mmCIF file of all heavy atoms in Angstrom:
data_model
loop_
_atom_site.group_PDB
_atom_site.id
_atom_site.type_symbol
_atom_site.label_atom_id
_atom_site.label_comp_id
_atom_site.label_asym_id
_atom_site.label_seq_id
_atom_site.Cartn_x
_atom_site.Cartn_y
_atom_site.Cartn_z
ATOM 1 N N LYS A 1173 35.315 -36.249 29.906
ATOM 2 C CA LYS A 1173 33.937 -36.555 29.400
ATOM 3 C C LYS A 1173 33.085 -36.466 30.650
ATOM 4 O O LYS A 1173 33.054 -37.520 31.420
ATOM 5 C CB LYS A 1173 33.924 -37.646 28.659
ATOM 6 C CG LYS A 1173 34.821 -37.793 27.433
ATOM 7 C CD LYS A 1173 34.455 -36.823 26.331
ATOM 8 C CE LYS A 1173 35.326 -36.908 25.116
ATOM 9 N NZ LYS A 1173 34.968 -36.109 23.963
ATOM 10 N N VAL A 1174 32.317 -35.543 30.881
ATOM 11 C CA VAL A 1174 31.281 -35.393 31.956
ATOM 12 C C VAL A 1174 30.056 -34.872 31.447
ATOM 13 O O VAL A 1174 29.987 -33.860 30.720
ATOM 14 C CB VAL A 1174 31.875 -34.544 33.056
ATOM 15 C CG1 VAL A 1174 30.975 -34.542 34.146
ATOM 16 C CG2 VAL A 1174 33.283 -34.838 33.461
ATOM 17 N N LEU A 1175 28.953 -35.599 31.812
ATOM 18 C CA LEU A 1175 27.524 -35.137 31.518
ATOM 19 C C LEU A 1175 27.126 -34.261 32.739
ATOM 20 O O LEU A 1175 26.992 -34.755 33.779
ATOM 21 C CB LEU A 1175 26.669 -36.256 31.181
ATOM 22 C CG LEU A 1175 26.902 -37.061 29.953
ATOM 23 C CD1 LEU A 1175 25.894 -38.186 29.754
ATOM 24 C CD2 LEU A 1175 26.764 -36.059 28.752
ATOM 25 N N THR A 1176 26.800 -32.968 32.457
ATOM 26 C CA THR A 1176 26.283 -32.215 33.497
ATOM 27 C C THR A 1176 24.805 -32.137 33.555
ATOM 28 O O THR A 1176 24.166 -32.560 32.774
ATOM 29 C CB THR A 1176 26.744 -30.823 33.302
ATOM 30 O OG1 THR A 1176 26.170 -30.232 32.087
ATOM 31 C CG2 THR A 1176 28.353 -30.737 33.147
ATOM 32 N N THR A 1177 24.299 -31.814 34.754
ATOM 33 C CA THR A 1177 22.817 -31.713 34.999
ATOM 34 C C THR A 1177 22.440 -30.251 35.132
ATOM 35 O O THR A 1177 23.158 -29.467 35.497
ATOM 36 C CB THR A 1177 22.456 -32.584 36.091
ATOM 37 O OG1 THR A 1177 23.062 -31.978 37.269
ATOM 38 C CG2 THR A 1177 22.768 -33.999 35.828
ATOM 39 N N THR A 1178 21.190 -29.997 34.977
ATOM 40 C CA THR A 1178 20.575 -28.694 35.227
ATOM 41 C C THR A 1178 20.417 -28.334 36.649
ATOM 42 O O THR A 1178 19.632 -28.994 37.385
ATOM 43 C CB THR A 1178 19.190 -28.612 34.371
ATOM 44 O OG1 THR A 1178 19.390 -28.797 33.022
ATOM 45 C CG2 THR A 1178 18.671 -27.147 34.582
ATOM 46 N N THR A 1179 21.045 -27.392 37.090
ATOM 47 C CA THR A 1179 20.923 -26.920 38.487
ATOM 48 C C THR A 1179 20.857 -25.426 38.542
ATOM 49 O O THR A 1179 21.327 -24.770 37.635
ATOM 50 C CB THR A 1179 22.111 -27.430 39.430
ATOM 51 O OG1 THR A 1179 23.393 -26.879 38.836
ATOM 52 C CG2 THR A 1179 22.146 -28.878 39.496
ATOM 53 N N ARG A 1180 20.494 -24.845 39.621
ATOM 54 C CA ARG A 1180 20.399 -23.511 39.847
ATOM 55 C C ARG A 1180 21.457 -23.076 40.864
ATOM 56 O O ARG A 1180 21.058 -23.324 42.073
ATOM 57 C CB ARG A 1180 19.018 -23.039 40.099
ATOM 58 C CG ARG A 1180 17.925 -23.358 39.005
ATOM 59 C CD ARG A 1180 16.633 -23.038 39.423
ATOM 60 N NE ARG A 1180 16.483 -21.644 39.751
ATOM 61 C CZ ARG A 1180 15.294 -21.039 40.237
ATOM 62 N NH1 ARG A 1180 14.202 -21.746 40.489
ATOM 63 N NH2 ARG A 1180 15.191 -19.802 40.423
ATOM 64 N N PRO A 1181 22.514 -22.508 40.656
ATOM 65 C CA PRO A 1181 23.480 -22.209 41.590
ATOM 66 C C PRO A 1181 23.152 -20.975 42.223
ATOM 67 O O PRO A 1181 22.564 -19.984 41.832
ATOM 68 C CB PRO A 1181 24.780 -22.099 40.779
ATOM 69 C CG PRO A 1181 24.234 -21.400 39.432
ATOM 70 C CD PRO A 1181 22.922 -22.104 39.215
ATOM 71 N N PRO A 1182 23.779 -20.701 43.449
ATOM 72 C CA PRO A 1182 23.469 -19.402 44.220
ATOM 73 C C PRO A 1182 24.217 -18.340 43.434
ATOM 74 O O PRO A 1182 25.313 -18.487 42.744
ATOM 75 C CB PRO A 1182 24.162 -19.644 45.584
ATOM 76 C CG PRO A 1182 25.151 -20.824 45.304
ATOM 77 C CD PRO A 1182 24.501 -21.612 44.249
ATOM 78 N N LYS A 1183 23.577 -17.070 43.543
ATOM 79 C CA LYS A 1183 24.158 -16.080 42.738
ATOM 80 C C LYS A 1183 25.281 -15.131 43.616
ATOM 81 O O LYS A 1183 25.139 -15.131 44.908
ATOM 82 C CB LYS A 1183 23.056 -14.959 42.295
ATOM 83 C CG LYS A 1183 22.117 -15.583 41.382
ATOM 84 C CD LYS A 1183 21.113 -14.653 40.858
ATOM 85 C CE LYS A 1183 21.001 -13.250 41.543
ATOM 86 N NZ LYS A 1183 19.985 -12.519 40.823
ATOM 87 N N THR A 1184 26.278 -14.739 42.973
ATOM 88 C CA THR A 1184 27.299 -13.951 43.687
ATOM 89 C C THR A 1184 27.639 -12.658 42.878
ATOM 90 O O THR A 1184 27.645 -12.747 41.776
ATOM 91 C CB THR A 1184 28.649 -14.866 43.690
ATOM 92 O OG1 THR A 1184 28.353 -16.117 44.218
ATOM 93 C CG2 THR A 1184 29.628 -14.164 44.603
ATOM 94 N N THR A 1185 27.687 -11.579 43.708
ATOM 95 C CA THR A 1185 27.904 -10.370 43.038
ATOM 96 C C THR A 1185 29.245 -10.380 42.642
ATOM 97 O O THR A 1185 30.269 -10.543 43.320
ATOM 98 C CB THR A 1185 27.665 -9.228 44.090
ATOM 99 O OG1 THR A 1185 26.288 -9.343 44.586
ATOM 100 C CG2 THR A 1185 27.839 -7.924 43.430
ATOM 101 N N THR A 1186 29.441 -9.931 41.322
ATOM 102 C CA THR A 1186 30.821 -9.843 40.655
ATOM 103 C C THR A 1186 31.372 -8.605 41.086
ATOM 104 O O THR A 1186 30.830 -7.620 41.719
ATOM 105 C CB THR A 1186 30.600 -9.952 39.173
ATOM 106 O OG1 THR A 1186 31.838 -9.818 38.613
ATOM 107 C CG2 THR A 1186 29.935 -8.760 38.711
ATOM 108 N N THR A 1187 32.697 -8.664 40.912
ATOM 109 C CA THR A 1187 33.619 -7.372 41.082
ATOM 110 C C THR A 1187 33.698 -6.492 40.002
ATOM 111 O O THR A 1187 34.116 -5.384 40.037
ATOM 112 C CB THR A 1187 34.924 -7.683 41.609
ATOM 113 O OG1 THR A 1187 35.597 -8.591 40.545
ATOM 114 C CG2 THR A 1187 34.960 -8.525 42.875
ATOM 115 N N ALA A 1188 33.236 -7.029 38.869
ATOM 116 C CA ALA A 1188 33.331 -6.126 37.610
ATOM 117 C C ALA A 1188 32.069 -5.233 37.621
ATOM 118 O O ALA A 1188 31.010 -5.414 38.072
ATOM 119 C CB ALA A 1188 33.150 -6.969 36.356
ATOM 120 N N ASN A 1189 32.392 -3.921 37.104
ATOM 121 C CA ASN A 1189 31.438 -2.937 37.191
ATOM 122 C C ASN A 1189 30.953 -2.617 35.728
ATOM 123 O O ASN A 1189 31.442 -1.703 35.088
ATOM 124 C CB ASN A 1189 31.929 -1.672 37.812
ATOM 125 C CG ASN A 1189 30.839 -0.610 37.983
ATOM 126 O OD1 ASN A 1189 29.605 -1.029 37.947
ATOM 127 N ND2 ASN A 1189 31.291 0.595 38.110
ATOM 128 N N TYR A 1190 29.995 -3.423 35.118
ATOM 129 C CA TYR A 1190 29.381 -3.160 33.885
ATOM 130 C C TYR A 1190 28.154 -2.205 34.157
ATOM 131 O O TYR A 1190 26.975 -2.656 34.103
ATOM 132 C CB TYR A 1190 28.924 -4.538 33.247
ATOM 133 C CG TYR A 1190 30.002 -5.414 32.910
ATOM 134 C CD1 TYR A 1190 30.157 -6.546 33.671
ATOM 135 C CD2 TYR A 1190 30.953 -5.114 31.842
ATOM 136 C CE1 TYR A 1190 31.335 -7.484 33.272
ATOM 137 C CE2 TYR A 1190 32.032 -6.037 31.534
ATOM 138 C CZ TYR A 1190 32.020 -7.203 32.271
ATOM 139 O OH TYR A 1190 33.085 -8.096 31.949
ATOM 140 N N SER A 1191 28.427 -0.938 34.185
ATOM 141 C CA SER A 1191 27.267 -0.026 34.363
ATOM 142 C C SER A 1191 27.681 1.340 33.892
ATOM 143 O O SER A 1191 28.860 1.740 33.703
ATOM 144 C CB SER A 1191 26.960 0.078 35.923
ATOM 145 O OG SER A 1191 28.050 0.489 36.664
ATOM 146 N N PHE A 1192 26.692 2.155 33.711
ATOM 147 C CA PHE A 1192 26.869 3.518 33.494
ATOM 148 C C PHE A 1192 26.242 4.437 34.600
ATOM 149 O O PHE A 1192 25.440 3.916 35.424
ATOM 150 C CB PHE A 1192 25.989 3.853 32.219
ATOM 151 C CG PHE A 1192 26.479 3.235 30.918
ATOM 152 C CD1 PHE A 1192 26.403 1.910 30.668
ATOM 153 C CD2 PHE A 1192 27.102 4.123 29.957
ATOM 154 C CE1 PHE A 1192 26.872 1.449 29.540
ATOM 155 C CE2 PHE A 1192 27.593 3.553 28.783
ATOM 156 C CZ PHE A 1192 27.454 2.131 28.540
ATOM 157 N N ASN A 1193 26.670 5.773 34.600
ATOM 158 C CA ASN A 1193 26.250 6.574 35.609
ATOM 159 C C ASN A 1193 24.828 6.917 35.752
ATOM 160 O O ASN A 1193 24.146 6.968 34.660
ATOM 161 C CB ASN A 1193 26.934 7.933 35.650
ATOM 162 C CG ASN A 1193 28.521 7.786 35.770
ATOM 163 O OD1 ASN A 1193 28.983 6.897 36.526
ATOM 164 N ND2 ASN A 1193 29.200 8.717 35.171
ATOM 165 N N THR A 1194 24.104 6.953 36.883
ATOM 166 C CA THR A 1194 22.804 7.167 37.105
ATOM 167 C C THR A 1194 22.443 8.526 36.475
ATOM 168 O O THR A 1194 23.115 9.577 36.727
ATOM 169 C CB THR A 1194 22.431 7.044 38.535
ATOM 170 O OG1 THR A 1194 22.716 5.682 38.920
ATOM 171 C CG2 THR A 1194 20.806 7.125 38.689
ATOM 172 N N GLU A 1195 21.271 8.604 35.849
ATOM 173 C CA GLU A 1195 20.737 9.764 35.345
ATOM 174 C C GLU A 1195 19.641 10.295 36.262
ATOM 175 O O GLU A 1195 18.936 9.643 36.797
ATOM 176 C CB GLU A 1195 20.122 9.756 34.042
ATOM 177 C CG GLU A 1195 21.068 9.694 32.808
ATOM 178 C CD GLU A 1195 21.848 10.926 32.568
ATOM 179 O OE1 GLU A 1195 21.177 11.945 32.744
ATOM 180 O OE2 GLU A 1195 22.959 10.877 32.133
ATOM 181 N N ASP A 1196 19.843 11.719 36.640
ATOM 182 C CA ASP A 1196 18.913 12.476 37.575
ATOM 183 C C ASP A 1196 17.947 13.095 36.693
ATOM 184 O O ASP A 1196 18.185 14.207 36.051
ATOM 185 C CB ASP A 1196 19.565 13.455 38.420
ATOM 186 C CG ASP A 1196 18.659 14.126 39.358
ATOM 187 O OD1 ASP A 1196 17.497 13.740 39.395
ATOM 188 O OD2 ASP A 1196 19.160 14.939 40.162
#
Side-chain angles (χ1 to χ4, degrees):
K1173 304 287 184 178
V1174 181
L1175 290 179
T1176 62
T1177 59
T1178 302
T1179 58
R1180 298 174 61 186
K1183 294 185 350 181
T1184 307
T1185 302
T1186 184
T1187 56
N1189 183 20
Y1190 294 107
S1191 62
F1192 289 74
N1193 293 331
T1194 302
E1195 282 291 325
D1196 184 4

